[in-house]
């Protein structure tokens, strides 16, 4: 790795794993031997603005980067980090997770109840437009649990192709559809409790309908103000145009395991495009494969993680509160 102007250095943490003779994820921390110190968050922002090209190269190489030990304290500092990185923010339109907007660029990570695990997924893989980069920030670290696991998507694809070639072939040929029933307003008791007003950023039913049409999503209004959506046929396997590798780009296990509440049945939430359900035994093995490949990042206050959404899936482990992780999406 380049010395990156001598201000940061690469370090190792216990959670990291090595794949293809390369650690995952990359971990960067301020270099105590550097003449230039990060005394304030603004110092870090200035450094980041000058090193965007370097950081982008490392993100492409490694798939995810953990910044640890930098002077970031709160949502405003995190907003400054995102702004300094310089990507255009992507509105959270079509996502299932209940969230709270903090700044124009920053919102809370999935506010699902802490005793509910959030399974692996690529961010917004269930809608046609997904972010290219994810930013996560730890404002309050949990005393235990609450890790954010990461898994390299091309490795998941390779393992699943070797173990279940026909299933992967079916995914590539048939593709998938996601079905969800959205309440009118957010339901904080559910991991997929984002209401249709929040999902489509409107209180107007006709605007919500138009945004469904723009995404190619079938919609049906149900009693009680709920909105049923069935996505357009979407790929479950993609080729990453920047790396040339095939990737497991979907939210299959997230929908199959996690899209369950008083309105939704997880077993019906994800199907092949012809309506065929996911094979239960393969779903079990997919979950095991993801956990085998996972790197569980244990949060420390002030941590920032950059995730290339084309290269890595993420999840959330359960935890006893408090825990506060903030997020931002980049085009």
């Amino acid at each position: 790795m380049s010395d990156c102007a001598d201000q940061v250095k690469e370090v190792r943490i216990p959670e990291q794993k090595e794949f293809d003779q390369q650690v995952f994820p990359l971990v960067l921390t301020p270099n105590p031997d550097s003449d230039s110190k990060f005394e304030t968050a603004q110092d870090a922002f200035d450094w980041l603005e000058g090193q965007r090209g370097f950081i982008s190269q490392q993100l492409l190489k490694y798939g995810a980067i953990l910044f640890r030990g930098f002077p970031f304290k709160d949502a405003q500092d995190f907003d400054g980090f995102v702004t300094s990185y310089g990507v255009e923010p992507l509105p959270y339109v079509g996502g299932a997770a209940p969230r709270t907007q903090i700044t124009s660029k920053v919102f809370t990570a999935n506010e699902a109840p802490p005793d509910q695990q959030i399974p692996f997924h690529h961010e917004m893989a269930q809608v046609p437009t997904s972010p290219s980069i994810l930013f996560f920030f730890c404002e309050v670290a949990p005393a235990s649990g609450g890790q954010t696991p990461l898994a390299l998507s091309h490795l998941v694809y390779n393992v699943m192709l070797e173990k279940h070639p026909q299933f992967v072939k079916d995914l590539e040929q048939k593709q998938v559809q996601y079905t969800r029933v959205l309440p009118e307003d957010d339901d904080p008791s559910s991991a997929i409790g984002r209401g249709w007003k929040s999902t489509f950023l409107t209180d107007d039913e006709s605007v919500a309908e138009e945004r469904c049409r723009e995404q190619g999503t079938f919609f049906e209004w149900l009693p009680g103000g709920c909105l049923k959506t069935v996505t357009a046929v979407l790929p479950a396997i993609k080729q990453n145009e920047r790396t040339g590798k095939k990737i497991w780009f979907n939210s299959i296990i997230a929908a199959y395991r996690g899209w369950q509440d008083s309105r939704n049945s997880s077993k019906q939430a994800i199907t092949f495009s012809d309506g065929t359900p996911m094979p239960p035994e393969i779903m079990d093995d997919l979950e095991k494969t993801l956990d085998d490949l996972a790197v569980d990042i244990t949060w420390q206050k002030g941590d920032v993680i950059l995730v290339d959404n084309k290269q890595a899936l993420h999840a959330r482990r359960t935890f006893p509160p408090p825990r506060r992780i903030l997020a931002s999406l980049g085009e």
Side-chain angles (χ1 to χ4, degrees):
M1 188 184 78
S2 154
D3 64 4
C4 194
D6 191 46
Q7 287 183 261
V8 303
K9 67 175 185 177
E10 179 182 353
V11 296
R12 298 297 298 269
I13 60 174
E15 300 98 309
Q16 284 172 303
K17 293 182 180 179
E18 190 170 297
F19 303 104
D20 300 328
Q21 299 181 321
Q22 179 171 285
V23 296
F24 177 73
L26 175 66
V27 182
L28 298 178
T29 192
N31 184 356
D33 298 324
S34 173
D35 293 333
S36 299
K37 307 295 184 183
F38 296 109
E39 297 180 355
T40 67
Q42 186 60 52
D43 293 336
F45 303 155
D46 293 342
W47 168 83
L48 184 60
E49 287 183 2
Q51 297 293 337
R52 289 174 183 169
F54 167 81
I55 298 301
S56 296
Q57 289 173 357
Q58 298 307 303
L59 185 59
L60 179 62
K61 178 179 179 181
Y62 289 91
I65 305 173
L66 167 62
F67 293 81
R68 174 161 287 174
F70 291 79
F72 305 135
K73 298 178 181 178
D74 53 28
Q76 291 301 323
D77 289 346
F78 180 45
D79 186 288
F81 184 102
V82 174
T83 300
S84 299
Y85 192 80
V87 297
E88 288 296 317
L90 182 71
Y92 189 60
V93 178
R99 303 178 185 269
T100 301
Q101 197 79 33
I102 306 298
T103 74
S104 62
K105 297 184 179 72
V106 172
F107 40 81
T108 56
N110 192 330
E111 294 180 353
D115 61 348
Q116 295 183 24
Q117 181 163 303
I118 299 172
F120 276 99
H121 58 285
H122 280 280
E123 192 65 35
M124 297 172 69
Q126 76 278 12
V127 294
T129 302
S130 57
S132 62
I133 185 172
L134 316 178
F135 303 80
F136 294 107
F137 169 68
C138 180
E139 190 171 43
V140 177
S144 63
Q147 299 93 336
T148 294
L150 304 172
L152 286 166
S153 191
H154 75 279
L155 297 180
V156 179
Y157 170 80
N158 290 342
V159 172
M160 292 299 290
L161 180 63
E162 181 178 351
K163 294 165 73 174
H164 307 287
Q166 185 58 52
F167 175 68
V168 174
K169 181 179 179 181
D170 289 343
L171 282 178
E172 294 196 76
Q173 292 181 344
K174 296 181 182 180
Q175 305 186 82
V176 295
Q177 284 188 299
Y178 301 86
T179 298
R180 184 158 59 100
V181 177
L182 293 67
E184 183 174 5
D185 297 305
D186 290 357
D187 175 4
S189 71
S190 169
I192 55 165
R194 192 171 180 85
W196 64 260
K197 292 180 179 179
S198 297
T199 299
F200 297 109
L201 306 180
T202 182
D203 292 339
D204 189 325
E205 292 184 2
S206 63
V207 174
E209 291 175 0
E210 182 57 32
R211 290 180 178 161
C212 284
R213 294 188 189 98
E214 289 171 356
Q215 295 181 341
T217 297
F218 166 84
F219 62 89
E220 177 186 358
W221 293 101
L222 302 177
C226 292
L227 178 63
K228 179 181 179 180
T229 61
V230 182
T231 66
V233 176
L234 295 170
I237 309 295
K238 288 186 175 182
Q239 184 162 19
N240 187 333
E241 64 277 5
R242 299 182 70 195
T243 66
K245 298 174 181 176
K246 283 197 171 182
I247 52 175
W248 190 264
F249 193 84
N250 57 66
S251 294
I252 289 174
I253 200 64
Y256 187 84
R257 290 284 190 238
W259 288 22
Q260 180 77 39
D261 60 17
S262 60
R263 296 166 297 275
N264 292 276
S265 167
S266 59
K267 302 304 183 288
Q268 298 172 2
I270 176 69
T271 64
F272 289 103
S273 61
D274 61 5
T276 305
M278 296 292 115
E281 67 283 358
I282 294 182
M283 292 298 96
D284 291 343
D285 196 45
L286 170 58
E287 190 168 45
K288 181 180 183 303
T289 296
L290 285 158
D291 280 335
D292 287 345
L293 294 171
V295 174
D296 279 29
I297 301 298
T298 300
W299 287 105
Q300 295 183 13
K301 180 176 173 56
D303 283 351
V304 174
I305 298 179
L306 268 61
V307 178
D308 184 332
N309 195 40
K310 292 288 182 67
Q311 294 199 67
L313 304 100
H314 65 280
R316 188 197 75 181
R317 305 300 186 195
T318 60
F319 61 96
R323 173 190 187 266
R324 185 172 170 88
I325 306 299
L326 305 181
S328 186
L329 311 180
E331 289 186 354

